[in-house]
Amino acid sequence: MKLDAQQLEAYRAAGHVTVPGVFRAEEMQALVADIERWGEEFLAELPPEKRYWYIDGGVKAKQVLRKLDNPHYQRESVRRLAADPRLTELVESIIGPGVTVYFSQVFFKPPEGGGPKAVHQDNYYFGPSDPEGIVTAWVALDDATEENGCLYFGEGTHRGPVYRHAAPPGAPYELHVPPGEAARHPMTAAPVPRGGVSFHHGNIFHQSGPNHSARWRRACALHYVTNANRFVNPALPYDEAAVVRIT
Ligand SMILES: O=C(O)CCC(=O)C(=O)O
């Protein structure tokens, strides 16, 4: 399944496009079950000095993860997802044939407390050698809505520069674009039904809202690059051992 001409045109114009129904709801449920098992093991072994990086600070009742890194490397289930032709054909229709997953993340947004993610540009985090040869495929493991913290995009901002980001004290993972720059661009909500995929350009301004609902909002973001592309100027360290060529 490739993006059709209209979807590709929407992606080029806005910097993102949502494709519903790429995967079935039961497939997402099975992935969630596997990721939950991994999350429990990970949390049990997480040393105290690393907790601030992985724990969602908004949920006070108990410790819950806000994210996990490199599921495509750590879990067979996500490796299969990353290599599934239903997804890779869509990815290749955006950045061209021959793709690698350089990094991936599971974002958990727990019910009633899961925090927002500030406006940022993936290409500031990643610093790729080819800023056009990268696309994030954000797979909705649950329905993502405005109420439970879906993504928002600054449409057209992918055609602008990548700004120097700053992070609040004590939260180096919360890099964000300068607030004055962010305020100049309206942000458009991009709800995604479970099993759908939101594709976004590495330069686009995006953020996610807080979870005000009683439902989880979990997603798996796979950061695909063309095979020759490298993170040459990353803002955070990335583990090259986890880079997996897919096609
Ligand atoms: O899922 C989120 O809350 C943030 C996702 C994100 O920023 C990304 O996939 O680039």
Side-chain angles (χ1 to χ4, degrees), residues 11 19 25 73 82 126 134 144 155 160 185 202-203 208 225 230 239 244:
Y11 179 85
V19 182
Y73 183 66
F126 301 152
I134 180 165
E155 302 202 325
H185 300 282
N203 280 16
S208 65
V225 298
R230 291 284 169 277
D239 183 2
V244 175

Side-chain angles (χ1 to χ4, degrees), residues 59-78:
V59 180
K60 302 292 175 215
K62 59 174 185 146
Q63 294 212 315
V64 287
L65 291 168
R66 71 177 184 88
K67 65 130 47 182
L68 280 168
D69 288 335
N70 283 327
H72 75 286
Y73 183 66
Q74 302 287 350
R75 303 303 280 188
E76 177 60 32
S77 60
V78 181

Side-chain angles (χ1 to χ4, degrees), residues 105 107 109 117 120 122 136 138 149 151 200 206-208 217 219 221 223:
Q105 307 170 81
F107 291 104
K109 216 181 269 277
K117 175 106 184 115
H120 65 281
D122 291 346
T136 294
W138 189 95
L151 293 176
H200 65 257
H206 60 292
Q207 66 183 136
S208 65
R217 194 240 64 183
H223 305 287

Side-chain angles (χ1 to χ4, degrees), residues 16-22 138-146 148-153 189-199 215 217-219:
H16 74 102
V17 69
T18 297
V19 182
V22 177
W138 189 95
V139 181
L141 303 177
D142 298 299
D143 288 334
T145 65
E146 288 186 55
N148 74 355
C150 68
L151 293 176
Y152 290 74
F153 293 102
V192 187
R194 175 180 241 191
V197 183
S198 166
F199 295 92
R215 292 175 298 111
R217 194 240 64 183
R218 289 160 292 206

Side-chain angles (χ1 to χ4, degrees), residues 10-17 94-95 120-124 126 128 130-138 153-154 156-162 198-206 223-224:
Y11 179 85
R12 303 269 180 248
H16 74 102
V17 69
I94 296 174
I95 57 173
H120 65 281
Q121 296 169 287
D122 291 346
N123 278 349
Y124 184 81
F126 301 152
D130 173 10
E132 295 298 323
I134 180 165
V135 65
T136 294
W138 189 95
F153 293 102
T157 50
H158 63 301
R159 291 192 293 271
V162 175
S198 166
F199 295 92
H200 65 257
H201 188 284
N203 280 16
I204 195 168
F205 283 23
H206 60 292
H223 305 287
Y224 288 93

